Amino acid sequence: MPYYKIDGVTPVVDPSAYVHPTAVLIGDVIIGKGCYVGPGACLRGDFGRITMEEESNIQDNCVVHGFAETHTVIRKHGHVGHGAVLHGCVVGEDALIGMNAVVMDYANIGQGSIIAAASFIKNRFTCPPRSMVMGTPGKIVRSVTDDELSWKQTGTREYIDLTKRCLTSMVECAPLTSLESERPALQTGTHQPKS
């Protein structure tokens, strides 16, 4: 696992969290209970602190960083989609950052909010709880519906389950050279894109 101490500060990872072996954690990074950090994610706590609270997730190829003396926080059940960039911001409890979105310094994403995929959230942006934010620059377009919040929570539960699956069954292996005649199919999730 590529974990790196810098200036005497070592990452902290709760034993119930899963960090993929290709993710990189540097310095002042704190990963809480039941968290998931996906392949290729980079959490650079070499200036400011980064904290993932309980059962939050950061997916593949995300970058998390901040300026000196900032604290980037992903609160409980925060959900950060593939390829997102977080820099010195706070992602509220049960909030979702969509794929390839960018959230800049001192932005504060309210509890239960959704940042749409590919949105750009300017520094010092603040949204109230359950805001739907879209665009470049990101703007609040409406409130998150009960149905949308429930959809988000289902996705987060699947990542909580994925953490457990990874801890118990994911192992490095050599690929097969041909397809098995009775190849099993993964039947683990029911979460689908929102229509």
Side-chain angles (χ1 to χ4, degrees), residues 8-49:
V9 180
T10 304
V12 176
V13 178
D14 187 277
S16 65
Y18 177 78
V19 178
H20 191 274
T22 62
V24 177
L25 276 58
I26 300 170
D28 197 1
V29 177
I30 302 162
I31 309 297
K33 293 179 181 178
C35 291
Y36 173 88
V37 179
C42 179
L43 285 71
R44 281 184 48 210
D46 48 14
F47 288 104
R49 175 172 289 176

Side-chain angles (χ1 to χ4, degrees), residues 114 132 142 145-152 191-195:
I114 295 176
M132 177 67 74
R142 59 178 172 77
T145 66
D146 291 344
D147 185 54
E148 289 165 334
L149 184 59
S150 176
W151 171 82
K152 181 268 168 207
H191 195 59
Q192 295 293 316
K194 192 88 179 113
S195 52

Side-chain angles (χ1 to χ4, degrees), residues 129-132 140-145 148:
R130 291 187 67 167
S131 296
M132 177 67 74
I140 300 168
V141 296
R142 59 178 172 77
S143 294
V144 170
T145 66
E148 289 165 334

